[in-house]
Amino acid sequence: MIGADGIHSPVRSTLFPGHPAPSYSGITAWRLLVPAPGVRGRAYESWGRGKVFGVMPLAGDTAYCYATDTVPAGGGGGDQPAELRRLFGDWHSPIPELLAAATPERVLRNDVHHLAPPLPAMHRGRVALLGDAAHAMTPNLGQGACQAIEDAVVLAHVVGDGTGAVFFGGDDVLAGYTAARLERTSRIVARSAAICRVTRLRNPLAVRLRDTMTALSWRLAPSRVNGAMDEVLGWPPPST
Ligand SMILES: Cc1cc2nc3c(=O)[nH]c(=O)nc-3n(C[C@H](O)[C@H](O)[C@H](O)COP(=O)(O)OP(=O)(O)OC[C@H]3O[C@@H](n4cnc5c(N)ncnc54)[C@H](O)[C@@H]3O)c2cc1C
């Protein structure tokens, strides 16, 4: 059986009843699609005091935007485009223009939870956990769904024979799945959480220090900064 039932997975709590439930990461996130004629080029992300705004130009003169703010969990309701304009309306262009075009039915708001302490394993017996059920993470590396897909590829490899057929090689077959996935996904969960903590800084001095260090890193060690995602993005799938 595969438990791919998301962050609040009942399969996970049945397999590992003593493991802490996902906890609030300290940020609420908005995701929205807006018409964006003229907004082209690379995706980017801007950081402020406890807040983040990202823009990803899409085909068809549309942009996917996301934003986070450091607020207590449980907010929401009401006019979310208006809330976004209140929080980010004085940020740099084109953020105010994009938000001016936002409509309530195209805005999602979610408190972000994550499974901070890793599970001891990604399987128990003949049950495997996959995706957020196994390793819910903050979205700071954009890796939650990506890691779910990697899990699926590895799981298919471990229990398959390479032709699409599935075989069951005994009760221990899923140990290979945990061995291939737990360490990698735990590292990515921890790294995402570390970035999340840095985006939550509100103290002006701490923010100034963070921004200076970031600018210095780009200036002094650009290849190191550029290569920071290599380990995450350079994952080689298992070969048969
Ligand atoms: C703000 C935000 C931004 C994100 N940005 C990114 C990003 O840029 N890149 C990225 O890779 N990831 C991102 N993610 C993470 C991504 O959304 C999740 O990691 C991904 O959706 C996890 O997929 P999943 O299939 O494990 O779980 P889910 O998508 O939660 O799917 C679980 C499914 O199981 C179903 N289910 C639950 N219980 C049962 C049951 N008993 N019977 C039948 N069905 C059941 C649910 O209805 C649901 O459809 C983001 C998440 C958030 C909150």
Side-chain angles (χ1 to χ4, degrees):
M1 187 177 113
I2 300 170
D5 48 349
I7 184 166
H8 300 296
S9 165
V11 178
R12 178 181 62 232
S13 45
T14 304
L15 291 188
F16 301 101
H19 196 81
S23 55
Y24 183 52
S25 65
I27 58 166
T28 274
W30 291 261
R31 286 170 284 178
L32 56 152
L33 287 172
V34 288
V39 176
R40 300 216 161 70
R42 296 180 62 173
Y44 60 87
E45 192 172 286
S46 301
W47 289 15
R49 289 179 56 192
K51 295 192 275 193
V52 170
F53 200 98
V55 178
M56 233 175 252
L58 302 179
D61 284 338
T62 302
Y64 162 62
C65 302
Y66 57 92
T68 61
D69 191 14
T70 308
V71 289
D79 185 340
Q80 291 307 311
E83 176 69 353
L84 284 166
R85 287 191 278 271
R86 183 181 73 76
L87 292 169
F88 298 95
D90 60 350
W91 280 36
H92 63 81
S93 183
I95 293 171
E97 294 85 342
L98 292 169
L99 289 178
T103 52
E105 69 281 5
R106 300 192 99 189
V107 178
L108 275 178
R109 174 177 174 154
N110 300 96
D111 292 334
V112 175
H113 291 75
H114 64 154
L115 196 61
L119 291 172
M122 284 175 59
H123 78 290
R124 184 157 273 183
R126 293 176 147 229
V127 183
L129 292 171
L130 183 156
D132 279 7
H135 44 61
M137 58 189 76
T138 63
N140 303 82
L141 288 172
Q143 281 294 306
C146 298
Q147 292 307 307
I149 292 167
E150 288 186 12
D151 289 346
V153 170
V154 173
L155 190 55
H157 180 78
V158 168
V159 302
D161 65 0
T163 66
V166 170
F167 75 93
F168 295 98
D171 282 346
D172 243 8
V173 69
L174 292 175
Y177 172 62
T178 284
R181 297 299 301 155
L182 184 62
E183 196 189 327
R184 173 171 167 79
T185 52
S186 303
R187 260 201 322 271
I188 293 173
V189 170
R191 209 170 141 186
S192 297
I195 298 171
C196 184
R197 278 194 295 278
V198 179
T199 68
R200 285 168 46 201
L201 291 175
R202 277 187 178 284
N203 177 290
L205 259 180
V207 169
R208 174 77 62 92
L209 186 64
R210 174 195 76 188
D211 294 349
T212 307
M213 297 297 286
T214 308
L216 270 178
S217 308
W218 276 107
R219 191 168 312 162
L220 300 177
S223 58
R224 200 152 168 229
V225 181
N226 273 320
M229 283 295 282
D230 286 357
E231 188 215 350
V232 174
L233 303 180
W235 178 77
S239 57
T240 45

